[in-house]
Amino acid sequence: MKKYTVAVVGATGAVGQEMIRVLESRQFPIERLVPLASEKSAGTTVEFGGKHITVEKLTHSSFADNHIEIALFSAGGDVSAEFAPSAAKAGAVAIDNTSHFRMHESVPLVVPEVNPEDIKLWKTTGIIANPNCSTIQMVIALKPLHDEWEIERIDVSTYQAVSGAGARAMQELMDQMQSIFTFNFDAFEPKKFPHKIALNAIPHIDKFEANGYTKEELKMVNESQKIMHHKMQISATCVRVPVLRGHSEAITVRFKNEASALKAVELLQKARDVVIMDDNSKNHYPTPLASTDKDEVFVGRIRADIYDKKTLHFWVVADNLRVGAATNAVRIAEKWIETEGAK
Ligand SMILES: NC(=O)c1ccc[n+]([C@@H]2O[C@H](COP(=O)([O-])OP(=O)(O)OC[C@H]3O[C@@H](n4cnc5c(N)ncnc54)[C@H](OP(=O)(O)O)[C@@H]3O)[C@@H](O)[C@H]2O)c1
């Protein structure tokens, strides 16, 4: 089997570190791993395959110089905007975790469980975009239900972990929690969030737009429609909560046709990378802690609407750093190898 030279851009970040762990745990066919980051982390090391590999400074020639074939980007939108085209120019496929290219018409936006066929469109730009973390787990759970009953409208409220805002945001929550234990709650001023996040819930992720929605909420709207190739109505309210890892979502979905909770369980049981946790008598439902370090989307609290036979409600949880970022990117790379890699 052919092995690939793989770059991880942003290798020292929350998502980049997880990417390296996922590549290793899935036994991705790697010939050589090239970790890239900013000047600040150049010279530090990351662990892969029992070895310490030195992080290199990202430059425009990093990809050609290292003969990179697959480049996984998670170093922020500006870095992707500037450097993903260099990776593509050097002949690599760039799989980008940031929001920069997601809505570009000529860049495919892919969740392998939902629209793997879009990967073939990578050739136009050399870039494949990885959706927003909240979108990925939602569309994985919705796809089998959409295929059965056709979605008309989705209303979703998210409860998003701080790791969605990066490694420093995780530290900010830990520092604030520590300050509470030492009765010194005023010691840590918020930096990554608009308010203190410890013991709090903040209904504000990313910037506000003129229509009153945040960019994060509009990402869920636009990206879901692009991935599912379906113009359903969507409204999202995205909330940051003091959880380290694992985004939760309360989803209400109205279909074109009559739906049933029992049939939904049956459909989701057969779906790839979905696990049902739904036994109220045993307090068995998904939680962020139970989803940590897992590669599946967990679904529970599946119930019919009290008034409308076309509406279902459920609760979806997934590890945002894995399912919502690293694992989805690596699954895209695996699918790319399967369908395009050898051509
Ligand atoms: N966290 C999530 O759940 C999630 C999910 C989906 C997508 N994303 C997206 O993925 C990206 C990274 O997120 P994160 O949470 O991993 O952030 P993070 O923990 O802050 O890590 C950022 C990474 O980017 C590197 N970097 C920053 N500026 C750079 C530059 N000029 N050149 C090269 N490398 C640079 C950093 O390297 P240094 O160590 O050198 O600073 C670090 O490795 C963001 O665009 C984010 O929106 C995150």
Side-chain angles (χ1 to χ4, degrees):
M1 190 191 190
K2 178 175 161 47
K3 291 188 170 178
Y4 293 82
T5 305
V6 178
V8 174
V9 182
T12 52
V15 175
Q17 289 178 43
E18 203 59 42
M19 277 172 169
I20 293 170
R21 277 196 283 272
V22 172
L23 287 167
E24 186 158 3
S25 68
R26 292 177 75 88
Q27 296 176 321
F28 193 88
I30 292 198
E31 180 65 36
R32 193 159 71 90
L33 180 81
V34 180
L36 300 166
S38 77
E39 199 163 15
K40 199 182 86 199
S41 296
T44 62
T45 59
V46 295
E47 257 186 78
F48 179 74
K51 292 187 189 133
H52 292 279
I53 305 177
T54 304
V55 175
E56 294 176 22
K57 182 184 171 214
L58 171 69
T59 67
H60 284 288
S61 64
S62 298
F63 306 97
D65 290 352
N66 287 293
H67 306 289
I68 300 298
E69 295 167 286
I70 299 172
L72 305 175
F73 277 79
S74 70
D78 293 346
V79 174
S80 291
E82 190 181 343
F83 291 93
S86 304
K89 203 167 154 215
V93 58
I95 300 173
D96 182 30
N97 250 290
T98 77
S99 58
H100 185 78
F101 290 103
R102 288 180 192 153
M103 295 312 294
H104 283 212
E105 216 173 295
S106 47
V107 173
L109 181 65
V110 176
V111 178
E113 293 86 341
V114 181
N115 62 333
E117 67 284 356
D118 288 346
I119 284 177
K120 64 177 181 294
L121 306 173
W122 77 284
K123 285 193 197 87
T124 317
T125 58
I127 299 167
I128 301 172
N130 195 72
N132 176 258
C133 38
S134 314
T135 306
I136 294 174
Q137 65 183 73
M138 181 170 82
V139 297
I140 289 176
L142 286 174
K143 166 77 168 143
L145 309 181
H146 174 64
D147 288 347
E148 184 74 14
W149 297 307
E150 195 177 328
I151 294 172
E152 274 189 354
R153 183 177 171 92
I154 301 161
D155 289 278
V156 54
S157 295
T158 69
Y159 307 70
Q160 297 182 221
V162 293
S163 52
R168 286 196 195 106
M170 294 169 86
Q171 193 57 48
E172 184 160 320
L173 172 60
M174 298 299 282
D175 289 346
Q176 288 178 3
M177 292 303 291
Q178 191 92 44
S179 77
I180 292 164
F181 291 129
T182 52
F183 303 103
N184 188 19
F185 192 44
D186 285 330
F188 289 97
E189 283 311 308
K191 291 192 188 90
K192 293 293 285 187
F193 302 110
H195 301 277
K196 278 179 181 141
I197 185 63
L199 305 180
N200 211 355
I202 305 173
H204 173 188
I205 301 180
D206 211 333
K207 297 190 177 95
F208 280 107
E209 296 284 32
N211 63 3
Y213 286 85
T214 62
K215 278 190 168 181
E216 182 83 353
E217 290 160 354
L218 296 176
K219 281 177 211 164
M220 292 192 80
V221 174
N222 299 324
E223 293 180 18
S224 301
Q225 291 177 345
K226 178 169 176 179
I227 297 160
M228 295 183 77
H229 299 284
H230 185 63
K231 290 272 175 204
M232 69 290 245
Q233 295 179 0
I234 308 176
S235 172
T237 303
C238 292
V239 181
R240 188 74 71 191
V241 293
V243 163
L244 277 175
R245 271 175 91 136
H247 289 355
S248 306
E249 298 177 348
I251 300 176
T252 292
V253 54
R254 193 184 74 225
F255 301 96
K256 194 170 167 203
N257 301 294
E258 256 183 47
S260 90
L262 217 60
K263 179 78 182 170
V265 170
E266 199 183 297
L267 294 166
L268 289 166
Q269 263 163 351
K270 286 189 236 153
R272 198 151 55 91
D273 301 321
V274 173
V275 173
I276 304 271
M277 288 178 82
D278 202 6
D279 186 348
N280 297 339
S281 68
K282 295 189 173 122
N283 296 343
H284 191 59
Y285 35 71
T287 62
L289 278 181
S291 80
T292 298
D293 271 339
K294 303 268 172 33
D295 286 328
E296 290 84 23
V297 172
F298 297 89
V299 185
R301 303 289 323 275
I302 303 167
R303 60 211 189 275
D305 190 72
I306 296 171
Y307 306 99
D308 178 11
K309 290 186 168 143
K310 296 180 177 175
T311 296
L312 296 178
H313 308 273
F314 47 91
W315 175 249
V316 173
V317 182
D319 185 330
N320 54 300
L321 293 180
R322 287 184 82 110
V323 176
T327 304
N328 196 69
V330 173
R331 281 182 180 140
I332 292 173
E334 288 169 348
K335 204 77 194 160
W336 178 85
I337 288 175
E338 197 182 304
T339 56
E340 308 291 315
K343 290 176 192 171

